[in-house]
Amino acid sequence: MTDDGALSVGAAVHDGGSGRVGLVMGHEGPYLQLRPLGGGREWDADPSRLRPLGPAELLSARVAEANARSRADLGLSGIRGAPHTGRAEDGPR
């Protein structure tokens, strides 16, 4: 975060509009572009709906992302409670 309260590029934030966590990648017009912690497609977010993550929240989000990746790599993504990765081999939900 900058001195004027603006979120800087690279800041980890929670998007209250979508309920997702991401990294600030830049801005376009009135919106900030966020990217999921583990990479992926950016989305536009209203800066008024964003809040910076604290250290514990960031750690928790990164652990959840790593767990999701490991389940997908092991072929366990079809197990109930495992997150959907959006890959075709995961099958319909």
Side-chain angles (χ1 to χ4, degrees), residues 2-3 17 23 27 38 48-49 55-56 59 69 80 82 85 87 90:
T2 61
D3 291 337
L23 297 175
H27 61 85
S48 68
R49 305 287 311 258
L59 177 61
R69 268 194 322 274
R80 184 181 176 145
T85 63
R87 297 184 323 185
D90 290 343

Side-chain angles (χ1 to χ4, degrees), residues 4-61:
D4 63 357
L7 294 167
S8 57
V9 171
V13 296
H14 178 267
D15 178 3
S18 70
R20 299 170 70 187
V21 172
L23 297 175
V24 176
M25 302 306 291
H27 61 85
E28 183 68 35
Y31 298 103
L32 290 176
Q33 279 83 47
L34 304 180
R35 177 169 285 157
L37 294 178
R41 182 171 287 189
E42 292 182 1
W43 76 94
D44 291 335
D46 179 350
S48 68
R49 305 287 311 258
L50 302 179
R51 67 170 176 77
L53 293 181
E57 290 176 301
L58 178 57
L59 177 61
S60 178

